[in-house]
């Protein structure tokens, strides 16, 4: 192999730099190079040495340790884009960096490092992030020019893997690029930037779950928290980039999840949301079980082979909901294929598991679902909805829908509209299709629905959704809901919280009856029984009746002794 190529492979330096080294050892003195190698550095120099292994005259810090002696506490400013999983990933990153002596700031002017947690799911999400990067680039230039202060920019998450070349070569100002599975490497990557290098790690892992990293919550006052229970996705829906940016599906061991729920309960957290791309296909394979229930429900298919053994989502729900009966449990996102009866049963039995299921349909047309590779038909989906409703009375439902997917005809779109009419969704996330590179749809289909048609279909979907959710909400007027108080509405000073199906409920603050027969003011983190008196499509208004607890509220509801009245 020629020497230039060999040096390039070993050092991974760009052409020009490799050529310089090559010239040094070819023109100058091949023999002396060989001699240097013979009498040259040993293994220990390569690990913690302080001598350049190639040019022994130059003091050099080749690896981690000395670089990691951070001279001053560097301050990080976090920017989070995208889903709740990104928020939780940022809490994992913050935990890792806090351990290494970094600090956090909410003030751009104080920041030494900007870390941007990115999302690549649709073009719109990426566009927002490019605008933010423009701003940060200007900020970085000004900090250097006016204050001689070096500021670093790091790109984390889903855009990192997808756009690493563009981010580094074209944008130039990005110093660190770290994909979703390389956050443990961030202290090293940031240390490398001290020497002016750009540091990149976008390797995807088959087993990284950050199980041993206890996330540090960005908002410590919040009474709800997120817990990632699994990472990646194996479903390979044809429109979706997630399997490419986040890699293969892997679940975090059950014990570490239960431990985290316990810690959060001890800190006074009242609600946890279990997170993953497809939480209901959770499977802790470190636990051997006799259960061989491996196949998905009738009418549903997967692109991967049936997975065998291990603890499953129903087992996890059982354990997590047993930690603290006063802790509300939610979960997202789910796939309709993974709702076996065991899962539905445990949800219906446990008062603290919210009776709210995310059943992302994506489309109401069997032909479109087939092109999307969702693994079910319209009919199978509707049967599932009926089954879920019969197993969990008063269940709330939410969905994701895409309009304008490749080849979607007007008739096919109308089937989506009719599905929205048929199923009473409390919440729906509606998206115009956005073609993503690397996906199967990108390779196989044409993005042939014009933008104005996508926009128009999106508007029609929104209209049906708003009308229907308004009707659903109006039907709640007069009913009493259990609301967990979350905060204060800035404009009006009223309190707000969420009911069981995650609908926002607002009500006046004040003193209400408590368990001891006296009165006390409502605080964030209290469970309050609220009578609903008004409804819009995305918010309810109510009158608070009394303080209560989760167990008390549902005991009243189950036994029909509804003593909670105005
Ligand atoms: N275009 C539009 N929406 C998408 N989603 C995923 N990929 C795309 C895409 N390329 C939506 C799906 C998914 C949600 C998280 O984002 O509805 O459920
Ligand atoms: Fe994407 Fe489909 Fe996986 Fe959801 S289930 S993350 S839509 S590939």
């Amino acid at each position: 192999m020629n020497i230039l190529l060999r040096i390039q492979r070993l050092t991974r330096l760009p052409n020009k730099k490799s050529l310089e080294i090559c010239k040094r050892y070819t023109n100058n003195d091949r023999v002396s190079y060989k001699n240097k190698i013979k009498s040259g550095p040993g293994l220990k120099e390569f690990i913690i040495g302080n001598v350049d292994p190639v040019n022994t005259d130059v003091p050099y810090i080749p690896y981690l340790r000395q670089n990691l002696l951070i001279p001053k506490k560097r301050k990080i400013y976090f920017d989070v884009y995208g889903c709740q999983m990104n928020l939780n990933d940022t809490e994992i990153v913050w935990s890792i960096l806090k351990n290494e002596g970094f600090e956090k700031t909410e003030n751009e002017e104080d920041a030494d490092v900007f870390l941007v947690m990115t999302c690549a799911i649709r073009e719109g999400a990426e566009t927002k992030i490019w605008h933010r990067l423009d701003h940060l680039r200007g900020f970085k230039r000004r900090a250097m020019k006016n204050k001689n202060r070096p500021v670093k920019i790091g790109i984390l998450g889903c855009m990192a893997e997808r756009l690493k070349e563009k981010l580094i070569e074209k944008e130039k100002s990005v110093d660190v690029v770290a994909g979703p599975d390389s956050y443990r490497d961030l202290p090293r990557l940031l240390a490398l930037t001290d020497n002016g290098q750009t540091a990149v790690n976008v390797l995807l892992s088959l087993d990284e779950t950050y199980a041993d990293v206890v996330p540090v919550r960005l908002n410590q006052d919040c009474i709800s928290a997120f817990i990632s229970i699994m990472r990646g996705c194996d479903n390979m829906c044809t429109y979706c980039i997630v399997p490419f940016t986040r890699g293969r599906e892997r679940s975090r061991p059950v014990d570490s999840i239960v431990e985290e729920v316990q810690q959060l309960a001890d800190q006074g957290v009242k609600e946890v949301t279990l997170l993953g791309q497809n939480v209901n296909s959770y499977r802790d394979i470190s636990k051997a079980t006799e259960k061989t229930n491996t196949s998905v429900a009738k009418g549903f298919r997967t692109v991967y082979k049936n997975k065998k053994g291990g603890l499953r989502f129903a087992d996890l729900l059982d354990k997590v909901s047993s930690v603290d009966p006063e802790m509300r449990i939610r979960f997202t996102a789910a796939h309709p294929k993974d709702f076996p009866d065991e899962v539905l049963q445990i949800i219906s039995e446990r008062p603290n598991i919210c009776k709210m299921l995310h059943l992302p349909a994506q489309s109401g047309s069997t032909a479109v679902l087939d092109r999307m590779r969702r693994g079910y038909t319209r009919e199978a989906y509707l049967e599932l909805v009926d089954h879920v409703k019969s197993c969990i009375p008063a269940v709330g439902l939410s969905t994701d829908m895409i309009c304008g997917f490749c080849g979607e005809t007007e008739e096919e779109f109308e089937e989506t509209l009719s599905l929205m009419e048929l199923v009473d969704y409390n919440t729906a996330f509606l998206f115009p299709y956005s073609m993503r590179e690397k996906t199967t749809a990108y390779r196989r289909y044409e993005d042939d629905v014009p933008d104005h048609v996508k926009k128009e279909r999106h508007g029609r979907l929104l209209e049906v959704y708003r009308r229907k959710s308004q009707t659903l909400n109006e039907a709640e007027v007069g009913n009493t809901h259990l609301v967990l108080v979350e905060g204060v509405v800035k404009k009006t000073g009223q309190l707000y919280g969420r009911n069981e199906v995650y609908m926002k409920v607002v009500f006046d603050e004040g003193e209400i009856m408590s368990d001891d027969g006296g009165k006390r003011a409502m605080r964030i983190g209290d469970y309050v029984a609220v009578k609903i008196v008004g409804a819009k499509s995305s918010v309810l208004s109510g009158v608070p009746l009394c303080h209560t607890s989760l167990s008390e509220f549902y005991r009243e509801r189950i036994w029909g002794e509804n003593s909670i009245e105005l």
Side-chain angles (χ1 to χ4, degrees):
M1 192 193 302
N2 98 26
I3 291 188
L4 173 62
L5 209 64
R6 211 184 269 186
I7 288 173
Q8 265 180 338
R9 287 214 175 151
L10 280 170
T11 61
R12 300 201 174 167
L13 285 168
N15 268 352
K16 214 169 131 202
K17 199 89 188 153
S18 302
L19 199 64
E20 268 171 34
I21 299 179
C22 181
K23 274 188 192 149
R24 240 154 75 196
Y25 295 113
T26 46
N27 297 350
N28 289 1
D29 188 357
R30 244 177 238 240
V31 181
S32 93
Y33 175 57
K34 278 190 180 161
N35 286 341
K36 265 189 189 167
I37 286 191
K38 266 192 213 148
S39 60
L43 180 64
K44 71 181 190 326
E45 275 84 5
F46 281 91
I47 296 168
I48 52 166
N50 55 7
V51 196
D52 184 339
V54 178
N55 181 351
T56 48
D57 304 330
V58 181
Y60 177 66
I61 305 170
Y63 289 108
L64 265 184
R65 273 207 200 153
Q66 312 211 359
N67 282 348
L68 277 182
L69 297 175
I70 300 157
K72 72 181 178 82
K73 292 191 169 181
R74 291 203 286 175
K75 292 202 171 113
I76 305 190
Y77 184 103
F78 287 104
D79 261 327
V80 189
Y81 292 86
C83 59
Q84 292 159 331
M85 194 88 187
N86 267 8
L87 187 67
N88 188 244
D89 274 9
T90 311
E91 298 180 334
I92 288 171
V93 167
W94 173 219
S95 170
I96 292 168
L97 293 178
K98 197 168 181 236
N99 259 340
E100 295 292 334
F102 285 83
E103 289 180 351
K104 184 162 80 70
T105 178
E106 317 273 290
N107 183 357
E108 282 192 4
E109 294 300 323
D110 290 344
D112 302 299
V113 182
F114 286 89
L115 291 181
V116 187
M117 184 61 80
T118 63
C119 170
I121 198 137
R122 283 171 289 276
E123 201 183 330
E126 282 190 6
T127 311
K128 262 200 236 156
I129 296 163
W130 287 120
H131 288 149
R132 177 69 182 153
L133 274 182
D134 282 346
H135 167 78
L136 292 180
R137 240 193 340 243
F139 184 90
K140 178 176 169 169
R141 253 196 325 268
R142 284 193 302 278
M144 200 58 201
K145 198 169 146 208
N146 303 340
K147 301 186 192 156
N148 198 23
R149 198 163 73 82
V151 167
K152 307 291 175 190
I153 302 175
I155 297 293
L156 316 180
C158 292
M159 264 169 92
E161 145 64 19
R162 201 177 104 63
L163 295 165
K164 52 188 182 291
E165 279 99 12
K166 184 170 177 206
L167 285 164
I168 297 161
E169 280 157 26
K170 296 212 182 89
E171 299 297 316
K172 293 276 189 290
S173 56
V174 170
D175 304 281
V176 167
V177 181
D181 289 342
S182 52
Y183 299 146
R184 285 180 202 273
D185 199 19
L186 268 173
R188 183 187 74 92
L189 298 173
L190 283 167
L192 287 174
T193 67
D194 279 349
N195 305 335
Q197 285 184 49
T198 305
V200 183
N201 184 347
V202 290
L203 289 176
L204 288 173
S205 156
L206 288 177
D207 54 11
E208 178 61 274
T209 59
Y210 300 107
D212 56 323
V213 179
V214 181
V216 179
R217 288 183 308 132
L218 295 177
N219 183 355
Q220 296 281 338
D221 302 330
C222 198
I223 42 96
S224 49
F226 298 113
I227 301 185
S228 293
I229 62 162
M230 45 109 67
R231 301 180 73 81
C233 182
D234 284 350
N235 289 331
M236 301 297 285
C237 303
T238 56
Y239 52 81
C240 186
I241 196 164
V242 167
F244 303 93
T245 58
R246 286 190 166 265
R248 299 297 302 269
E249 181 182 301
R250 63 227 106 112
S251 297
R252 184 177 156 184
V254 79
D255 298 339
S256 78
I257 300 170
V258 171
E259 201 176 309
E260 196 175 327
V261 176
Q262 183 64 63
Q263 283 170 7
L264 290 166
D266 295 344
Q267 291 166 23
V269 167
K270 289 289 184 58
E271 177 182 275
V272 293
T273 304
L274 309 176
L275 292 180
Q277 254 67 47
N278 188 179
V279 283
N280 49 342
S281 78
Y282 175 88
R283 189 177 292 263
D284 177 0
I285 46 169
S286 67
K287 298 270 188 293
T289 60
E290 292 302 311
K291 293 183 185 168
T292 48
N293 183 1
T294 55
S295 55
V296 291
K298 202 172 129 255
F300 292 83
R301 281 189 324 272
T302 60
V303 289
Y304 53 80
K305 272 205 224 140
N306 278 339
K307 297 175 181 176
K308 292 205 173 85
L311 286 186
R312 304 204 55 195
F313 190 55
D315 307 306
L316 178 72
L317 282 178
D318 171 28
K319 289 186 190 300
V320 163
S321 60
S322 305
V323 171
D324 177 356
E326 287 301 307
M327 169 90 90
R328 259 185 177 172
I329 311 294
R330 299 186 187 275
F331 54 87
T332 195
H335 191 291
K337 72 181 160 53
D338 290 310
F339 278 112
D341 284 349
E342 297 93 297
V343 171
L344 302 179
Q345 193 181 339
I346 192 120
I347 296 172
S348 75
E349 276 171 14
R350 297 286 160 95
N352 62 336
I353 305 181
C354 289
K355 313 287 174 275
M356 173 73 190
L357 288 196
H358 187 53
L359 291 183
Q362 311 295 0
S363 168
S365 147
T366 297
V368 175
L369 288 168
D370 190 42
R371 292 203 289 284
M372 289 178 162
R373 200 158 53 199
R374 288 291 290 176
Y376 51 86
T377 58
R378 173 190 173 92
E379 290 67 33
Y381 180 89
L382 284 170
E383 262 173 44
L384 175 72
V385 169
D386 285 345
H387 185 57
V388 163
K389 284 184 171 171
S390 69
C391 294
I392 314 174
V395 68
L397 295 177
S398 63
T399 188
D400 293 345
M401 293 286 193
I402 298 177
C403 55
F405 183 60
C406 309
E408 185 188 74
T409 61
E410 172 60 25
E411 291 70 35
E412 287 168 345
F413 170 69
E414 280 170 15
E415 290 191 82
T416 301
L417 280 180
S418 85
L419 191 86
M420 294 278 294
E421 294 280 2
L422 276 172
V423 183
D424 290 330
Y425 293 116
N426 299 79
T427 309
F429 303 93
L430 312 171
F431 310 105
Y433 173 61
S434 165
M435 175 73 100
R436 309 276 65 207
E437 267 176 46
K438 284 198 179 175
T439 56
T440 309
Y442 181 80
R443 283 178 274 117
R444 192 179 290 174
Y445 305 126
E446 202 185 325
D447 185 13
D448 54 359
V449 178
D451 279 350
H452 71 273
V453 176
K454 284 181 189 167
K455 208 169 153 200
E456 184 256 347
R457 289 180 186 172
H458 186 230
R460 283 158 72 196
L461 264 182
L462 268 174
E463 195 274 318
V464 173
Y465 162 54
R466 290 202 183 118
R467 173 170 46 77
K468 288 218 61 194
S469 64
Q470 169 89 35
T471 312
L472 271 183
N473 282 349
E474 278 167 2
E476 292 303 318
V477 172
N479 290 343
T480 303
H481 289 192
L482 178 69
V483 176
L484 177 59
V485 184
E486 278 182 26
V488 179
V489 183
K490 269 195 196 139
K491 263 193 191 161
T492 60
Q494 285 180 297
L495 293 174
Y496 72 87
R498 303 259 172 193
N499 66 7
E500 177 143 8
V501 299
Y502 207 64
M503 191 57 69
K504 199 178 207 173
V505 183
V506 291
F507 44 95
D508 288 339
E509 52 138 17
E511 290 194 339
I512 52 169
M513 201 170 61
S514 66
D515 329 333
D516 57 12
K519 281 191 160 190
R520 78 171 171 82
M522 291 171 279
R523 288 186 299 252
I524 291 171
D526 284 346
Y527 283 111
V528 175
V530 179
K531 185 160 186 151
I532 304 303
V533 294
K536 291 190 185 155
S537 67
S538 59
V539 63
L540 298 167
S541 52
V543 174
L545 304 180
C546 60
H547 287 278
T548 183
S549 69
L550 214 152
S551 347
E552 182 192 44
F553 186 87
Y554 288 109
R555 205 169 42 240
E556 302 289 338
R557 196 164 84 174
I558 288 165
W559 300 112
E561 299 161 7
N562 200 344
S563 57
I564 302 169
E565 277 302 330
L566 253 182

